[in-house]
Amino acid sequence: MGKRTIVPFGPQHPVLPEPLHLDLVLEDETVVDVIPSIGYIHRGLEKLCETKDYNKMVYVVERICGICSFGHGWGASAAIEGAMGVQVPERAEYLRTILHELGRVHSHLLWLGLMADAFGFESLFNHCWRIRETVLDLFEKNTGGRVVFSICKPGGMRKDISNENLQEMVTVLNGLKAEIKEITDVFINDASVKNRMTGVGVLTKEEAMELCAVGPTVRGSGVAQDLRLTGDHGVYHELGFEPVVEEAGDCMARTVVRIREVFQSIELIEKAVAQIPDGPVDCKVPKTVDGEFATRLEQPRGEAFYYAKGAGSKFLKRMRVRTPTNINIPALVKMLGGSDLADVPILALTIDRCWYSPSTRASAVQKGR
């Protein structure tokens, strides 16, 4: 056994701006052990429940992550609706599904750019984010926001989106397919990219299941696990699709899963727009919450968990959220074992952890910023 060195990694690192800290135990340039320190974020969620009513709490939860903020707003609303026993209108469920899939396209394009940046392919990074801007333009036109949208609420949606705007969304996304294919072909076929990702950070199917990995991380290891098909949210059961699965379990497989999901999300949006019924987009809800409910949502990164509990007032007694980042940490530790130190940033990126600090953003809401 050679001389061992411990190298600290995160949270002050470009690819790991999280409370997560990793102590990498190295022999020469090889990672032989990883000691994670998960840390602690005080999101302020439960304290804010005392001063923000259940409608305003949705705004707080949205700010957990700006990349998948619509999904967080949907998850919080669904948990509150479950506690109330409210069933939202069908058109609202379609609109939620459409915007959630648009958020998946946005999130995966952003992630592809970050991955390109991690292995030094700056022009590819810029092209990924250039295309992503068009997706954000669609969000801005239909919700008024580019990062936080605040269109989802308990009982449905705050506003309708016209059928004309929905059809325009489909036209714009179909027009982007050729550009997306052009940049994603680089990830799949470029020799330098394949050299950095193929065979790196292998997580076998058995390991992924044992460590309870979620999202593209588990689907990249050959497990067809997708809450959109097994959960109770949205209208995915009416759209007919299969989970995107790759068998290799390496960085390239997790990348290809996300690439294929971009095109799948565009197809799901097109199907949903073609089938969306007319009708109201919200319904009357009680002024107080009395009961509790937990629900799960398939975010771009994987399974997110939402819990709401009321005690007969407009203020929630408890509101808890668990993001996919936390669930995927054991899988990340397993991938890092035996890898080269130079591959650590790429491996940390492949679980697609959140970028935004819930503690900072929740505090900003509490202070009225």
Coordinates of all heavy atoms in Angstrom, one line a residue, residues 44-81:
G44 N -35.4 26.6 6.8 CA -36.4 27.6 7.3 C -37.8 27.2 7.0 O -38.7 28.0 7.3
L45 N -38.0 26.1 6.4 CA -39.4 25.7 5.9 C -40.3 25.6 7.1 O -41.4 26.2 7.1 CB -39.3 24.4 5.1 CG -38.7 24.4 3.8 CD1 -38.7 23.1 3.1 CD2 -39.3 25.5 2.9
E46 N -40.0 24.9 8.1 CA -40.9 24.6 9.2 C -41.2 25.9 10.0 O -42.3 26.1 10.5 CB -40.4 23.5 10.1 CG -40.4 22.1 9.4 CD -40.3 21.0 10.3 OE1 -40.7 21.1 11.5 OE2 -39.8 19.9 9.9
K47 N -40.1 26.7 10.2 CA -40.3 28.0 10.9 C -41.2 28.9 10.1 O -42.1 29.6 10.6 CB -39.0 28.6 11.2 CG -39.1 29.9 12.0 CD -39.6 29.6 13.4 CE -39.6 30.8 14.3 NZ -40.2 30.5 15.6
L48 N -41.0 28.9 8.8 CA -41.8 29.8 7.9 C -43.3 29.4 7.9 O -44.2 30.2 7.6 CB -41.3 29.8 6.5 CG -40.0 30.6 6.3 CD1 -39.4 30.4 4.9 CD2 -40.3 32.1 6.4
C49 N -43.6 28.1 8.2 CA -45.0 27.7 8.2 C -45.8 28.4 9.3 O -47.0 28.5 9.2 CB -45.0 26.2 8.6 SG -44.5 25.1 7.2
E50 N -45.1 29.0 10.3 CA -45.7 29.7 11.4 C -46.2 31.1 10.9 O -47.1 31.6 11.5 CB -44.8 29.8 12.6 CG -44.4 28.4 13.2 CD -43.4 28.6 14.3 OE1 -43.2 29.8 14.7 OE2 -42.9 27.6 14.8
T51 N -45.6 31.6 9.9 CA -45.9 33.0 9.5 C -46.4 33.1 8.1 O -46.8 34.2 7.7 CB -44.6 33.9 9.7 OG1 -43.5 33.4 8.9 CG2 -44.2 33.9 11.2
K52 N -46.2 32.1 7.2 CA -46.7 32.1 5.9 C -47.8 31.1 5.7 O -47.6 29.9 6.0 CB -45.5 31.8 4.9 CG -44.2 32.6 5.1 CD -44.4 34.0 4.7 CE -43.1 34.8 4.9 NZ -43.3 36.3 4.6
D53 N -48.9 31.5 5.2 CA -50.0 30.6 5.0 C -49.7 29.6 3.9 O -48.7 29.7 3.2 CB -51.3 31.3 4.7 CG -51.3 32.1 3.4 OD1 -51.0 31.5 2.3 OD2 -51.7 33.2 3.4
Y54 N -50.5 28.6 3.7 CA -50.2 27.5 2.8 C -50.0 27.9 1.4 O -49.2 27.3 0.7 CB -51.2 26.3 2.9 CG -52.6 26.6 2.4 CD1 -52.9 26.6 1.1 CD2 -53.6 27.0 3.3 CE1 -54.1 26.8 0.6 CE2 -54.9 27.2 2.8 CZ -55.1 27.2 1.5 OH -56.4 27.4 1.0
N55 N -50.7 29.0 0.9 CA -50.4 29.4 -0.4 C -49.0 30.0 -0.6 O -48.3 29.8 -1.6 CB -51.5 30.5 -0.8 CG -52.8 29.9 -1.2 OD1 -52.8 29.1 -2.2 ND2 -53.9 30.2 -0.5
K56 N -48.6 30.8 0.4 CA -47.3 31.5 0.4 C -46.2 30.4 0.5 O -45.1 30.7 0.1 CB -47.2 32.6 1.4 CG -48.1 33.7 1.1 CD -48.0 34.8 2.2 CE -49.0 36.0 1.9 NZ -49.0 37.0 3.0
M57 N -46.5 29.3 1.2 CA -45.4 28.3 1.4 C -45.0 27.7 0.1 O -43.9 27.2 -0.1 CB -45.9 27.2 2.4 CG -45.8 27.6 3.8 SD -44.2 28.1 4.3 CE -43.2 26.6 4.0
V58 N -45.9 27.7 -0.9 CA -45.6 27.1 -2.2 C -44.5 28.0 -2.8 O -43.5 27.5 -3.4 CB -46.8 27.1 -3.1 CG1 -46.4 26.6 -4.5 CG2 -47.9 26.1 -2.5
Y59 N -44.6 29.3 -2.6 CA -43.5 30.2 -3.1 C -42.1 29.9 -2.5 O -41.1 29.9 -3.1 CB -43.8 31.7 -2.8 CG -45.0 32.2 -3.4 CD1 -45.9 33.1 -2.7 CD2 -45.4 32.0 -4.8 CE1 -47.1 33.6 -3.3 CE2 -46.5 32.5 -5.4 CZ -47.3 33.3 -4.6 OH -48.4 33.8 -5.2
V60 N -42.2 29.6 -1.2 CA -40.9 29.2 -0.5 C -40.3 27.9 -1.0 O -39.1 27.9 -1.3 CB -41.2 29.1 1.0 CG1 -39.9 28.7 1.8 CG2 -41.7 30.4 1.6
V61 N -41.2 26.9 -1.2 CA -40.7 25.6 -1.6 C -40.1 25.7 -3.1 O -39.1 25.1 -3.4 CB -41.8 24.6 -1.6 CG1 -41.3 23.2 -2.1 CG2 -42.2 24.4 -0.1
E62 N -40.7 26.6 -3.9 CA -40.2 26.7 -5.3 C -38.8 27.2 -5.3 O -38.0 26.9 -6.2 CB -41.1 27.8 -6.0 CG -42.3 27.3 -6.6 CD -43.0 28.3 -7.5 OE1 -43.1 29.5 -7.1 OE2 -43.2 28.0 -8.7
R63 N -38.4 27.9 -4.2 CA -37.0 28.5 -4.2 C -36.0 27.6 -3.7 O -34.8 27.9 -3.5 CB -37.1 29.8 -3.4 CG -37.7 30.9 -4.2 CD -38.2 32.1 -3.3 NE -38.7 33.2 -4.2 CZ -39.9 33.2 -4.8 NH1 -40.7 32.2 -4.7 NH2 -40.2 34.2 -5.6
I64 N -36.4 26.3 -3.4 CA -35.4 25.3 -3.0 C -34.4 25.1 -4.2 O -33.2 25.0 -4.0 CB -36.0 24.0 -2.7 CG1 -36.8 24.1 -1.4 CG2 -35.0 22.8 -2.7 CD1 -37.5 22.9 -1.0
C65 N -34.9 25.2 -5.4 CA -34.0 25.0 -6.6 C -34.6 25.8 -7.7 O -35.7 25.6 -8.1 CB -33.8 23.6 -7.0 SG -32.8 23.4 -8.4
G66 N -33.8 26.7 -8.3 CA -34.3 27.5 -9.5 C -34.3 26.7 -10.7 O -35.0 27.1 -11.7
I67 N -33.6 25.6 -10.8 CA -33.6 24.8 -12.1 C -34.8 24.0 -12.2 O -35.3 23.8 -13.3 CB -32.3 23.9 -12.1 CG1 -31.0 24.8 -11.9 CG2 -32.2 23.1 -13.4 CD1 -29.8 24.0 -11.7
C68 N -35.3 23.4 -11.1 CA -36.5 22.6 -11.2 C -37.6 23.2 -10.3 O -38.3 22.5 -9.5 CB -36.2 21.2 -10.8 SG -35.2 21.0 -9.4
S69 N -37.7 24.5 -10.3 CA -38.6 25.2 -9.4 C -40.1 24.9 -9.6 O -40.9 24.8 -8.7 CB -38.4 26.7 -9.4 OG -38.7 27.2 -10.7
F70 N -40.5 24.7 -10.9 CA -41.9 24.3 -11.2 C -42.2 23.0 -10.5 O -43.3 22.9 -9.9 CB -42.2 24.2 -12.7 CG -43.6 23.9 -12.9 CD1 -44.6 24.8 -12.9 CD2 -44.0 22.5 -13.1 CE1 -45.9 24.5 -13.1 CE2 -45.3 22.2 -13.3 CZ -46.3 23.2 -13.3
G71 N -41.3 22.0 -10.6 CA -41.6 20.7 -10.0 C -41.8 20.9 -8.5 O -42.6 20.2 -7.8
H72 N -40.9 21.7 -7.8 CA -41.1 21.9 -6.4 C -42.4 22.6 -6.0 O -43.0 22.2 -5.0 CB -39.9 22.8 -5.8 CG -38.6 22.0 -5.7 ND1 -38.5 20.8 -5.1 CD2 -37.4 22.3 -6.2 CE1 -37.3 20.4 -5.1 NE2 -36.6 21.3 -5.8
G73 N -42.8 23.6 -6.8 CA -44.1 24.2 -6.6 C -45.3 23.2 -6.8 O -46.2 23.2 -6.0
W74 N -45.1 22.3 -7.8 CA -46.1 21.3 -8.0 C -46.1 20.3 -6.8 O -47.2 19.9 -6.3 CB -45.8 20.5 -9.3 CG -46.8 19.5 -9.8 CD1 -48.0 19.3 -9.1 CD2 -46.8 18.7 -10.9 NE1 -48.7 18.3 -9.8 CE2 -48.0 17.9 -10.9 CE3 -45.8 18.5 -11.9 CZ2 -48.2 17.0 -11.9 CZ3 -46.1 17.6 -12.9 CH2 -47.3 16.8 -12.9
G75 N -45.0 19.8 -6.4 CA -44.9 18.9 -5.3 C -45.5 19.4 -4.0 O -46.3 18.7 -3.3
A76 N -45.2 20.7 -3.7 CA -45.8 21.3 -2.5 C -47.3 21.4 -2.6 O -48.0 21.1 -1.7 CB -45.1 22.7 -2.3
S77 N -47.8 21.9 -3.8 CA -49.2 22.0 -4.0 C -49.9 20.7 -3.9 O -51.0 20.6 -3.3 CB -49.5 22.6 -5.4 OG -48.9 23.9 -5.5
A78 N -49.3 19.6 -4.5 CA -49.9 18.3 -4.5 C -50.0 17.8 -3.0 O -51.0 17.1 -2.7 CB -49.1 17.3 -5.3
A79 N -49.0 18.0 -2.2 CA -49.0 17.6 -0.8 C -50.1 18.3 -0.1 O -50.9 17.7 0.7 CB -47.7 17.8 -0.2
I80 N -50.3 19.6 -0.3 CA -51.3 20.4 0.4 C -52.7 19.9 -0.1 O -53.6 19.8 0.7 CB -51.1 21.9 0.1 CG1 -49.8 22.3 0.8 CG2 -52.3 22.7 0.7 CD1 -49.3 23.7 0.4
E81 N -52.8 19.7 -1.4 CA -54.1 19.2 -2.0 C -54.5 17.9 -1.4 O -55.7 17.6 -1.1 CB -54.0 19.1 -3.5 CG -53.9 20.5 -4.2 CD -53.3 20.4 -5.6 OE1 -52.9 19.3 -6.0 OE2 -53.2 21.4 -6.3

